């Protein structure tokens, strides 16, 4: 048989195969038949079709987070605003998958390089603390070897105690947390968030809302040292504890949980807030940036308590600080993802204003041994207005503790008299040489 006849025979066989496939199903369209034919030639695409099948919308929680405060909208989240239109399409798919508990993230219509997928995923994680059931790591993605583009990924979800189990050998999730359980913990969480929002009044100014939420977290959430050790060793047993759920429901978490709960509550009241990444004492750390009157400030809620006279008290060492101040103790730098060694960062606003810092509004600046009675009295009134119970004294960096003690001992009697209308003042104080701040506990009358 010559080459022309051989080619004609093969084309005829191919045509007959297509017609046969068409005739086997009266409801099939030509497009469906061609797609099936292509799938058979593309095992990966066929496999992804299997993963995408039967991903129906999940039952949504009956209890929704209150919108009484005109919350920050989905499209105004900081990470989302930082993306290109094509990247936003991927972000949207992550959101749809997450709220519906879809384990397969289908990106065939919006393929992206792996590193871009990781970055977009973590933008979503930072933007949406209310999606606490989404495991914050992509362990499996499917890509086209020729173009190195992700065509899909497997997502995992976690409830109070369990987590979807991924099998590396089969590239599948062997066991899944039940969707019913996920909806139950979402309802529990939303109910708690509404309760916390009830602490606020729509008439409160931004600073009042911030202080009330900061104080509540400081009083009710504990730093979990055991969990911190698990994070450092990569052996976290209950990932949900690192989330806003861990902070709000379990009342025990690490820096991620502190910052995520604060972020959610601020955004729910319409206050722009975002996550800042860096280190503290050489260890990975996250805190928040908040917007007040168009200016941005650092807030580290994790550092919201101190020990004074053997008692745990609310502290404000990093409440509304500038970058210059917080970098005395913190390092601002992108987060590095252990799974991909990708640095995830976006351009957060610089925090340069002193207008609404705790130091400007509520603290007494000390120069030499001079006690400014007028400034002290004004700050006491401001503290009383915002229901705060700590007065700070800011000394030049590196001031010896003995110098601080002499200053406070010399003027303590006068201080007590000046604040007696509003507060009684303790004789105990605490001083941090790294920040140059001393504070004395006040008791509201």
């Amino acid at each position: 048989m010559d080459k022309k006849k051989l080619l004609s025979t093969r084309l005829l066989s191919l045509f007959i195969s297509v017609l046969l496939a068409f005739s086997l199903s009266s409801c099939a369209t030509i497009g469906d038949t061609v797609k099936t034919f292509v799938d058979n030639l593309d095992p990966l695409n066929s496999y992804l079709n299997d993963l995408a099948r039967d991903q129906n919308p999940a039952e949504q929680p009956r209890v929704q987070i209150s919108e009484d405060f005109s919350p920050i909208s989905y499209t105004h989240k900081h990470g989302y605003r930082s993306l290109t239109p094509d990247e936003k399409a991927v972000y949207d798919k992550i959101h749809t998958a997450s709220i519906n508990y879809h384990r397969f993230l289908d990106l065939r219509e919006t393929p992206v390089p792996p590193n871009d997928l990781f970055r977009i995923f973590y933008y979503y994680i930072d933007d949406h603390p209310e999606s606490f059931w989404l495991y914050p790591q992509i362990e499996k993605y499917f890509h086209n070897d020729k173009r190195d583009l992700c065509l899909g990924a497997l997502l995992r979800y976690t409830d109070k105690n369990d987590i979807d189990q991924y099998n590396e050998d089969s590239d599948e999730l062997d066991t899944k947390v039940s969707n019913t359980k996920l909806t139950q913990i979402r309802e529990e969480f939303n109910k708690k968030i509404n309760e916390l929002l009830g602490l606020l009044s729509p008439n409160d100014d931004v600073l009042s809302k911030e202080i009330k939420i900061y104080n509540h977290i400081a009083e009710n959430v504990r730093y979990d040292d055991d969990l911190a050790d698990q994070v450092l060793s990569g052996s976290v047993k209950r990932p949900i504890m690192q989330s806003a759920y861990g902070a709000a429901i379990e009342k025990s978490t690490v820096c991620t949980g502190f910052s995520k709960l604060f972020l959610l509550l601020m955004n729910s009241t319409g206050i722009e807030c975002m996550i800042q990444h860096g280190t503290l004492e050489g260890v990975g750390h996250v805190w928040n940036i908040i917007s007040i009157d168009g200016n941005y400030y650092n807030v580290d809620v994790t550092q919201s308590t101190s020990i004074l006279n053997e008692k745990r008290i609310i502290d404000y060492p990093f409440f509304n600080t500038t970058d210059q101040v917080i970098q005395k103790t913190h390092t601002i730098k992108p987060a590095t993802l252990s799974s991909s060694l990708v640095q995830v960062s976006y351009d957060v606003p610089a925090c340069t204003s002193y207008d609404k810092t705790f130091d400007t509004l509520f603290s007494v600046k000390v120069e030499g041994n001079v006690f400014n009675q007028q400034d002290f009295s004004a700050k006491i009134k401001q503290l009383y207005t915002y229901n705060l119970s700590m007065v700070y004294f800011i000394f030049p960096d590196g001031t010896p503790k003995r110098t601080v003690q002499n200053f406070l001992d010399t003027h303590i009697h006068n201080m007590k008299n000046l604040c007696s209308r509003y507060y009684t003042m303790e004789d105990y104080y605490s001083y941090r040489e790294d920040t140059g701040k001393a504070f004395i506990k006040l008791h509201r009358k």
Side-chain angles (χ1 to χ4, degrees), residues 213-228:
I213 293 303
Y214 183 99
N215 286 350
H216 175 85
I217 294 175
E219 290 174 348
N220 293 278
V221 185
R222 298 292 185 268
Y223 188 84
D224 191 329
D225 291 311
D226 290 337
L227 178 60

Side-chain angles (χ1 to χ4, degrees), residues 201-303:
S201 166
N203 296 324
D204 288 339
D205 61 20
V206 173
L207 193 61
S208 292
K209 292 175 185 176
E210 181 188 12
I211 289 172
K212 287 180 180 179
I213 293 303
Y214 183 99
N215 286 350
H216 175 85
I217 294 175
E219 290 174 348
N220 293 278
V221 185
R222 298 292 185 268
Y223 188 84
D224 191 329
D225 291 311
D226 290 337
L227 178 60
D229 291 339
Q230 292 174 23
V231 172
L232 289 175
S233 64
S235 59
V236 176
K237 300 174 182 176
R238 299 178 62 209
I240 202 169
M241 294 298 292
Q242 292 179 262
S243 70
Y245 181 95
I249 303 298
E250 302 281 350
K251 298 182 179 181
S252 178
T253 187
V254 289
C255 61
T256 308
F258 277 96
S259 59
K260 291 295 181 67
L261 179 58
F262 184 78
L263 168 67
L264 175 58
L265 293 170
M266 291 296 96
N267 280 348
S268 296
T269 66
I271 299 171
E272 183 184 2
C273 186
M274 62 201 74
I275 296 292
Q276 175 65 290
H277 294 271
T279 64
L280 176 62
E281 298 179 352
V283 178
H285 189 57
V286 295
W287 61 96
N288 297 101
I289 291 178
I290 188 172
S291 174
I292 305 177
D293 296 337
N295 294 315
Y296 294 89
Y297 305 89
N298 293 283
V299 186
D300 190 347
V301 191
T302 308
Q303 311 298 315

Side-chain angles (χ1 to χ4, degrees), residues 21-29:
F22 178 83
S23 65
L24 291 176
S25 175
S26 60
C27 63
T29 65

